[in-house]
Amino acid sequence: MIRYSKTTRILALDNKSIGYAVYVNDAGYLETLYFGKRLAGYTDFDCVRKSGEFASPRYVVQTGKEEGYADGFKAACAPLEVSPHGLWDKRGAPLIVRSKEGSFETDLRFKSVRRLKGVPAIEGLPHAHGDAETADILLEDKNLRVRAHLYLTIFADKDILLKSFCIENFGRKAVRLTRAMSMQLDLPRADYDLVHFHGRWAKERDYCCNALTDGIQEISSNHGRSSAEENPFVYLKEKNATTDSGEVIGFNLIYSGNFKFRTLVTPFRGLHLLYGIDDEDFEWKLSAGEKFFTPQAVIAYSAEGTDAMSQTFHRFIRENLMTYADNCEYKPVLFNSWEGCTFDFDTDLILAYIDDAVKIGTELFVLDDGWFGARNTDAAGLGDWKVNEKKIDLKRVITHCTAHKIKFGIWFEPEMINFDSDLFRAHPEYVLGWGKEELSLARHQFCLDFANPEVVDNIYAQMRAFFKEYPVDYVKWDYNRTVAEHVSAAYPADRQGEIYHRLVLGYYSLLGRLTREFPKIMFEGCASGGGRFDLGTLYYCPQIWCSDESDPAQRIDIQFNTSIGYPLSCIGSHVNDSPVAPYSTKAALALFGTYGYEMNPNKLTQEEIDTLAKTADVYRKYHRDVIANGTLYHLRAPYEGNYMCMQCVSQDKKTSLVLFMNKFKELDVFRFVRLKGLDARKRYRNTLDGQVHTGEYYEKIGLNFSEAWMNEFSHALVLLTEVTK
Ligand code: GLA
């Protein structure tokens, strides 16, 4: 519910469990009074707003006098929704507007507030939807003809807040936004740990947990994509918080480009957070009458530890973010050709792959890179989205899939170009940064200038023509390099600060057009593995390839950590032929995601085929209700000891799957794992020892995984099913 009292000037937002309160002070700034568990009333904030001797004085030119604010506003340290810039407050403003005359001062003050039903649409950007209410707070700059709407959204059935801005130039002169972040959040305490997910290619999303330090810390990406180096999902946790106790506040951004999460522990021991598009190399010209929308920042609140926050994000992503119709439904068992044969295939080999892939339960065969243009190595072909008919008879491949009653999917990398391509020869100016003496290469490729709508239209026309000719059910959308030389020949000098953001807008515009026009095709995101695993992509793509690393030694961490912020239903995970662990182990791990394969299927032994087919059966039977739509519990993190354990429980609490995975060989140790989320009174049979126990037993005593001898990466996949008789 959202209420605003003109008498107390307090704006309160709450649902059944969380509350948020903002006070419009005498100066017209929005002071953040409260964020936490729901309160019975929202008037009594005496201790938070103590007026005192630090109240900020000012000299009023008209009266020639020194004046303070009657309500004791302290400009340097009062928790605010929108700090001004260029004044006494030095903590950092979320928005900075540069006037035509060159001043940076940005001083947005309250004008009015209205209540909107639902979530406001964010023009040109993916955004959330659902049962929510929004406070649309109108702010106006004291000096410039610039307005900002601060949208504060609260969900009815989830402990989620959204924050974003729409900045509008209602004057006659153009202004420049030199910072346009999505949110500020000020909290009156700073005794939190900051968790973020650092990484690199094939080692995405490493768990990093550090105490907030005095001064500024930044988690950011300037790679032009959300990146493998840092993920936009971060959280703060109270010092003693665990998976099921303590305060945890999670953050994410519905965006796929450069971002910055900046924490400042102030000298006053308060916390000042900014989150949004990275302001490095950002500048946006806002001409008269124009608006700029920032991406939505998503904030999840939990008073009960990290798993409650994680489950809130999972439900939010599934129910309020993804737009693909079947996102929570069953996702077919996928076979991808890449690791099996990379570029070295012909029609016969692919047909032979399909014949053997179906034996391990494949329901969707994906032909990865190498089918188009002159793409026989990674040095050529990107940009030429025409089937290389000398190499592959795609129609025959599709017919073969249909004969096997399985679906067919294909790989694209729409935002990239090789210099050895017809598109480059015809349009070198389509390359981002074109006009320079030298351009950086990665995998022999450049980024296309997706800031230029003509380039986006060209790729759209090529892809559309392909989809019209070839009936594909699935597309893997890759993005295999970092952006460099972010200069666009299509824009004048004074608009080059817009390019990073415009590249992302180009990505969304193409993906948006294609997903609307071909709603039956399921698009999976990918970027050198998991380099663009973010909420912007998930809006269009119900799953994202998690990492090119499928070897369980690293994969355990990657998958576990990814699943803290993102639901298992969107985590693309495949069994490959890495020699570190047996297929049964790799398959059990892949089951906790959207299950698939990448290997040479012609080389599998009968025993391996049986193992994989059996796991595919488990997936078919339980994926939708237990993994995709169930509740996930992180029972033991792989970095907390020598084993990892995760559990999923179906919504009706009748079925549960537990994955236990050992790391290094260890002899003679107890391994009791207490389960969660079961009905205490129901009785369940478990497949570990075949016994029947109550939910209470499993929660209090647990499952006993102790074995005298436990090898590297040995695992147990345990199914618990309710016993009614
Ligand atoms: C990236 C992807 C891989 C594969 C290759 C193809 O690295 O992450 O899965 O598609 O590109 O070139």
mmCIF file of all heavy atoms in Angstrom, residues 141-157:
data_model
loop_
_atom_site.group_PDB
_atom_site.id
_atom_site.type_symbol
_atom_site.label_atom_id
_atom_site.label_comp_id
_atom_site.label_asym_id
_atom_site.label_seq_id
_atom_site.Cartn_x
_atom_site.Cartn_y
_atom_site.Cartn_z
ATOM 1 N N ASP A 141 14.218 20.773 -10.605
ATOM 2 C CA ASP A 141 15.499 21.393 -10.269
ATOM 3 C C ASP A 141 15.284 22.854 -9.892
ATOM 4 O O ASP A 141 14.472 23.565 -10.478
ATOM 5 C CB ASP A 141 16.460 21.278 -11.454
ATOM 6 C CG ASP A 141 17.879 21.591 -11.038
ATOM 7 O OD1 ASP A 141 18.588 20.650 -10.623
ATOM 8 O OD2 ASP A 141 18.267 22.780 -11.086
ATOM 9 N N LYS A 142 16.034 23.302 -8.875
ATOM 10 C CA LYS A 142 15.868 24.666 -8.366
ATOM 11 C C LYS A 142 16.332 25.701 -9.391
ATOM 12 O O LYS A 142 15.840 26.817 -9.414
ATOM 13 C CB LYS A 142 16.696 24.801 -7.076
ATOM 14 C CG LYS A 142 16.117 25.789 -6.110
ATOM 15 C CD LYS A 142 16.661 25.503 -4.726
ATOM 16 C CE LYS A 142 16.252 26.468 -3.666
ATOM 17 N NZ LYS A 142 15.813 27.742 -3.907
ATOM 18 N N ASN A 143 17.282 25.314 -10.228
ATOM 19 C CA ASN A 143 17.860 26.296 -11.145
ATOM 20 C C ASN A 143 17.576 26.020 -12.615
ATOM 21 O O ASN A 143 17.476 26.931 -13.414
ATOM 22 C CB ASN A 143 19.379 26.332 -10.966
ATOM 23 C CG ASN A 143 19.753 26.478 -9.498
ATOM 24 O OD1 ASN A 143 19.391 27.468 -8.863
ATOM 25 N ND2 ASN A 143 20.417 25.481 -8.947
ATOM 26 N N LEU A 144 17.496 24.739 -12.971
ATOM 27 C CA LEU A 144 17.361 24.391 -14.395
ATOM 28 C C LEU A 144 15.929 23.992 -14.704
ATOM 29 O O LEU A 144 15.181 23.595 -13.824
ATOM 30 C CB LEU A 144 18.269 23.197 -14.721
ATOM 31 C CG LEU A 144 19.732 23.327 -14.347
ATOM 32 C CD1 LEU A 144 20.432 21.991 -14.559
ATOM 33 C CD2 LEU A 144 20.383 24.409 -15.209
ATOM 34 N N ARG A 145 15.607 24.037 -15.974
ATOM 35 C CA ARG A 145 14.266 23.581 -16.363
ATOM 36 C C ARG A 145 14.328 22.072 -16.633
ATOM 37 O O ARG A 145 14.184 21.596 -17.760
ATOM 38 C CB ARG A 145 13.766 24.396 -17.546
ATOM 39 C CG ARG A 145 13.599 25.868 -17.124
ATOM 40 C CD ARG A 145 13.003 26.747 -18.158
ATOM 41 N NE ARG A 145 11.626 26.429 -18.517
ATOM 42 C CZ ARG A 145 10.538 26.688 -17.785
ATOM 43 N NH1 ARG A 145 10.675 27.237 -16.585
ATOM 44 N NH2 ARG A 145 9.335 26.406 -18.224
ATOM 45 N N VAL A 146 14.597 21.375 -15.545
ATOM 46 C CA VAL A 146 14.746 19.923 -15.606
ATOM 47 C C VAL A 146 13.914 19.314 -14.481
ATOM 48 O O VAL A 146 13.923 19.809 -13.361
ATOM 49 C CB VAL A 146 16.234 19.526 -15.420
ATOM 50 C CG1 VAL A 146 16.386 18.035 -15.166
ATOM 51 C CG2 VAL A 146 17.037 19.925 -16.651
ATOM 52 N N ARG A 147 13.173 18.261 -14.838
ATOM 53 C CA ARG A 147 12.375 17.536 -13.845
ATOM 54 C C ARG A 147 12.863 16.103 -13.776
ATOM 55 O O ARG A 147 13.381 15.575 -14.756
ATOM 56 C CB ARG A 147 10.916 17.448 -14.304
ATOM 57 C CG ARG A 147 10.110 18.693 -14.153
ATOM 58 C CD ARG A 147 8.635 18.340 -14.329
ATOM 59 N NE ARG A 147 8.250 18.276 -15.723
ATOM 60 C CZ ARG A 147 7.629 19.253 -16.366
ATOM 61 N NH1 ARG A 147 7.340 20.377 -15.757
ATOM 62 N NH2 ARG A 147 7.291 19.108 -17.630
ATOM 63 N N ALA A 148 12.618 15.480 -12.640
ATOM 64 C CA ALA A 148 12.902 14.040 -12.562
ATOM 65 C C ALA A 148 11.745 13.362 -11.856
ATOM 66 O O ALA A 148 11.242 13.867 -10.851
ATOM 67 C CB ALA A 148 14.191 13.796 -11.809
ATOM 68 N N HIS A 149 11.312 12.265 -12.437
ATOM 69 C CA HIS A 149 10.347 11.414 -11.730
ATOM 70 C C HIS A 149 11.167 10.357 -11.020
ATOM 71 O O HIS A 149 11.970 9.674 -11.661
ATOM 72 C CB HIS A 149 9.413 10.706 -12.705
ATOM 73 C CG HIS A 149 8.478 11.634 -13.393
ATOM 74 N ND1 HIS A 149 7.193 11.839 -12.965
ATOM 75 C CD2 HIS A 149 8.656 12.425 -14.472
ATOM 76 C CE1 HIS A 149 6.616 12.717 -13.761
ATOM 77 N NE2 HIS A 149 7.479 13.093 -14.682
ATOM 78 N N LEU A 150 10.961 10.236 -9.724
ATOM 79 C CA LEU A 150 11.548 9.100 -9.014
ATOM 80 C C LEU A 150 10.422 8.091 -8.858
ATOM 81 O O LEU A 150 9.388 8.383 -8.256
ATOM 82 C CB LEU A 150 12.072 9.543 -7.636
ATOM 83 C CG LEU A 150 12.312 8.435 -6.608
ATOM 84 C CD1 LEU A 150 13.346 7.435 -7.080
ATOM 85 C CD2 LEU A 150 12.755 9.030 -5.262
ATOM 86 N N TYR A 151 10.598 6.915 -9.457
ATOM 87 C CA TYR A 151 9.589 5.869 -9.324
ATOM 88 C C TYR A 151 10.018 4.908 -8.221
ATOM 89 O O TYR A 151 11.098 4.321 -8.274
ATOM 90 C CB TYR A 151 9.455 5.069 -10.629
ATOM 91 C CG TYR A 151 9.032 5.886 -11.816
ATOM 92 C CD1 TYR A 151 9.858 5.994 -12.935
ATOM 93 C CD2 TYR A 151 7.799 6.544 -11.842
ATOM 94 C CE1 TYR A 151 9.464 6.729 -14.049
ATOM 95 C CE2 TYR A 151 7.414 7.286 -12.947
ATOM 96 C CZ TYR A 151 8.244 7.380 -14.045
ATOM 97 O OH TYR A 151 7.862 8.113 -15.129
ATOM 98 N N LEU A 152 9.133 4.776 -7.244
ATOM 99 C CA LEU A 152 9.387 3.841 -6.143
ATOM 100 C C LEU A 152 8.263 2.815 -6.176
ATOM 101 O O LEU A 152 7.115 3.154 -5.910
ATOM 102 C CB LEU A 152 9.270 4.593 -4.825
ATOM 103 C CG LEU A 152 10.514 5.111 -4.153
ATOM 104 C CD1 LEU A 152 10.165 5.831 -2.869
ATOM 105 C CD2 LEU A 152 11.419 3.930 -3.843
ATOM 106 N N THR A 153 8.606 1.588 -6.517
ATOM 107 C CA THR A 153 7.562 0.559 -6.679
ATOM 108 C C THR A 153 7.669 -0.470 -5.571
ATOM 109 O O THR A 153 8.775 -0.901 -5.231
ATOM 110 C CB THR A 153 7.734 -0.146 -8.053
ATOM 111 O OG1 THR A 153 7.641 0.842 -9.077
ATOM 112 C CG2 THR A 153 6.688 -1.213 -8.276
ATOM 113 N N ILE A 154 6.514 -0.854 -5.028
ATOM 114 C CA ILE A 154 6.511 -1.958 -4.056
ATOM 115 C C ILE A 154 5.577 -3.050 -4.562
ATOM 116 O O ILE A 154 4.498 -2.768 -5.081
ATOM 117 C CB ILE A 154 6.118 -1.486 -2.635
ATOM 118 C CG1 ILE A 154 6.300 -2.615 -1.632
ATOM 119 C CG2 ILE A 154 4.696 -0.908 -2.569
ATOM 120 C CD1 ILE A 154 6.462 -2.157 -0.200
ATOM 121 N N PHE A 155 6.022 -4.304 -4.443
ATOM 122 C CA PHE A 155 5.201 -5.432 -4.891
ATOM 123 C C PHE A 155 4.280 -5.904 -3.774
ATOM 124 O O PHE A 155 4.637 -5.822 -2.599
ATOM 125 C CB PHE A 155 6.094 -6.579 -5.373
ATOM 126 C CG PHE A 155 6.546 -6.352 -6.786
ATOM 127 C CD1 PHE A 155 7.585 -5.482 -7.059
ATOM 128 C CD2 PHE A 155 5.878 -6.958 -7.835
ATOM 129 C CE1 PHE A 155 7.970 -5.227 -8.358
ATOM 130 C CE2 PHE A 155 6.258 -6.710 -9.150
ATOM 131 C CZ PHE A 155 7.303 -5.848 -9.412
ATOM 132 N N ALA A 156 3.083 -6.376 -4.169
ATOM 133 C CA ALA A 156 2.098 -6.804 -3.173
ATOM 134 C C ALA A 156 2.519 -8.113 -2.516
ATOM 135 O O ALA A 156 2.381 -8.283 -1.306
ATOM 136 C CB ALA A 156 0.741 -6.969 -3.844
ATOM 137 N N ASP A 157 3.063 -9.034 -3.302
ATOM 138 C CA ASP A 157 3.288 -10.382 -2.782
ATOM 139 C C ASP A 157 4.764 -10.768 -2.721
ATOM 140 O O ASP A 157 5.087 -11.937 -2.603
ATOM 141 C CB ASP A 157 2.535 -11.387 -3.669
ATOM 142 C CG ASP A 157 2.993 -11.293 -5.122
ATOM 143 O OD1 ASP A 157 3.680 -10.309 -5.472
ATOM 144 O OD2 ASP A 157 2.695 -12.212 -5.903
#
